Amino acid sequence: MCRDNGYEDYRHAWSRYNDALKAWDDVPQKTEAFNDTIKAINLATTKDAENPSYWLLDSRIYRSRGGVAYAKNFFAKACALYEQLLEKDPTSVTYNLQYAIACYAGDAQFYADYSSYKAKAVQHTHVALQMIDMLEKDSEKKWFFDAVEEEFLEEKFLAYVILHDYKSLEKLREQIGNNYKEPDNLYYMKSDYENLVLRGKWHWKVNNKESAEKAFLMYYLHDWMN
């Protein structure tokens, strides 16, 4: 996945989707935002139909609009594309964790068989953590790990949220707090989690902590493309 065809349309769709959620009780603003969102995501998926992130956002948009059948179809498309990527590169930290987030926090949370998707999320999260651990321990690849250490710390953070491994997450938050300051991405990730999930200061109404965590995961997935 790369930031090429459709990426700016995708970013615009995500921005306007957030606007629609924030303006939920203002029908004219919400309608205008959703119309812009749909136009933008349609452009993105037309320009690059092989990017699962685009279809994943498409499923969220139509779920919010009440288009359940479209949402399920677009989510299935996203999952199929992630599975194709993993078939080609089964040890990819990025693809395993992105697919895990999709299964845990995506449209499947509304399905009767959600437990099977949660099991997939746990499975692929563990694969991602195992691969990170291998890179950390492999001296021949130490140069590579040093070059992307911050990215892997972000991925560990997201993995611990999926697994509800709050003990490991607390240690990582402490590590980030001691070593990373504004404007570092890890600083913002830690701050966002603490403000949006732990303190409940989300941008729009969520039902509980788990719902807030899912929103947090999807928020960080949307702009995470290699």
Side-chain angles (χ1 to χ4, degrees):
M1 290 178 291
C2 59
R3 298 187 177 189
D4 52 8
N5 290 340
Y7 178 69
E8 291 304 322
D9 299 305
Y10 170 72
R11 284 183 60 86
H12 183 63
W14 177 265
S15 176
R16 293 299 281 152
Y17 173 66
N18 286 345
D19 290 341
L21 295 181
K22 292 175 185 178
W24 195 262
D25 295 326
D26 187 327
V27 175
Q29 279 196 14
K30 180 179 71 173
T31 301
E32 181 182 358
F34 266 126
N35 288 341
D36 290 346
T37 299
I38 291 172
K39 289 178 184 177
I41 197 61
N42 285 345
L43 284 172
T45 54
T46 298
K47 292 176 181 178
D48 183 3
E50 301 303 311
N51 194 313
S53 296
Y54 296 179
W55 295 105
L56 198 60
L57 176 57
D58 217 350
S59 71
R60 298 189 71 199
I61 293 166
Y62 276 90
R63 171 68 61 172
S64 298
R65 286 292 304 270
V68 175
Y70 285 106
K72 294 186 76 169
N73 286 339
F74 295 150
F75 181 73
K77 175 74 172 179
C79 287
L81 289 170
Y82 276 126
E83 289 163 5
Q84 288 174 21
L85 290 169
L86 283 165
E87 186 175 349
K88 295 176 183 176
D89 190 1
T91 62
S92 168
V93 174
T94 298
Y95 296 155
N96 274 286
L97 193 50
Q98 287 190 352
Y99 186 42
I101 292 173
C103 289
Y104 176 68
D107 198 64
Q109 65 185 288
F110 303 106
Y111 303 167
D113 60 344
Y114 177 48
S115 60
S116 66
Y117 284 94
K118 288 177 74 173
K120 287 183 183 179
V122 171
Q123 173 192 347
H124 287 280
T125 301
H126 281 305
V127 171
L129 288 174
Q130 289 167 4
M131 295 311 303
I132 291 172
D133 187 56
M134 287 178 59
L135 286 169
E136 288 179 305
K137 291 178 179 178
D138 191 336
S139 60
E140 293 182 0
K141 295 181 179 177
K142 186 68 166 61
W143 65 272
F144 172 78
F145 180 75
D146 286 343
V148 295
E149 179 180 4
E150 182 173 308
E151 178 185 354
F152 281 162
L153 289 179
E154 291 176 1
E155 293 179 1
K156 283 184 179 180
F157 198 113
L158 299 173
Y160 297 150
V161 174
I162 295 171
L163 298 175
H164 295 177
D165 186 350
Y166 299 121
K167 184 176 180 179
S168 296
L169 186 59
E170 184 177 355
K171 290 180 180 178
L172 183 54
R173 284 167 47 211
E174 182 178 356
Q175 178 185 351
I176 292 170
N178 291 335
N179 296 284
Y180 296 90
K181 307 298 179 185
E182 189 175 5
D184 190 273
N185 288 340
L186 281 162
Y187 168 86
Y188 288 124
M189 176 175 279
K190 172 182 176 292
S191 297
D192 282 342
Y193 182 81
E194 291 171 350
N195 287 324
L196 304 178
V197 177
L198 299 184
R199 299 187 184 99
K201 297 179 180 179
W202 197 253
H203 302 305
W204 48 82
K205 184 178 179 180
V206 293
N207 296 325
N208 49 46
K209 180 182 177 182
E210 184 172 347
S211 295
E213 286 183 333
K214 289 175 182 177
F216 170 84
L217 290 165
M218 294 300 288
Y219 177 81
Y220 273 92
L221 174 62
H222 93 274
D223 198 26
W224 178 22
M225 300 187 215
N226 290 343

